[in-house]
Amino acid sequence: MAKYELKKRTETDGEISYHILKDDRYVDKSFARTIEDAEKLFHEFINGKPTEPIIETIKTIDIDDQNDN
């Protein structure tokens, strides 16, 4: 079971923004300027929108970088 939180941040100059945490970690691309956009994102994430990018290794190469001088 995951815990999602919608957070509000108020800067010292009064600027407000919102973001989402999943299990106390920031959810990538969850930043919003309005509560309406934040609520929409929040519902998308709790209804199954992926919260982490998919990273795949395409190629790997091992190189001996020791100099034999």
Side-chain angles (χ1 to χ4, degrees), residues 44-68:
E44 288 176 3
F45 284 117
I46 63 173
N47 288 320
K49 180 177 179 176
T51 58
E52 297 178 15
I54 298 170
I55 300 172
E56 301 175 76
T57 302
I58 304 302
K59 291 184 181 182
T60 302
I61 186 168
D62 292 322
I63 298 174
D64 182 5
D65 60 356
Q66 292 182 347
N67 291 331
D68 292 326

Side-chain angles (χ1 to χ4, degrees), residues 3-50:
K3 176 178 80 170
Y4 287 88
E5 296 176 273
L6 177 56
K7 297 285 192 170
K8 176 181 176 182
R9 178 181 175 136
T10 305
E11 299 290 344
T12 55
D13 64 0
E15 184 176 327
I16 295 173
S17 62
Y18 303 87
H19 64 276
I20 298 168
L21 298 182
K22 177 183 177 186
D23 296 327
D24 299 321
R25 296 183 66 195
Y26 176 77
V27 174
D28 192 36
K29 298 187 183 188
S30 70
F31 177 85
R33 290 268 181 214
T34 67
I35 188 64
E36 294 82 11
D37 289 344
E39 289 279 357
K40 181 181 175 190
L41 283 171
F42 188 73
H43 289 291
E44 288 176 3
F45 284 117
I46 63 173
N47 288 320
K49 180 177 179 176

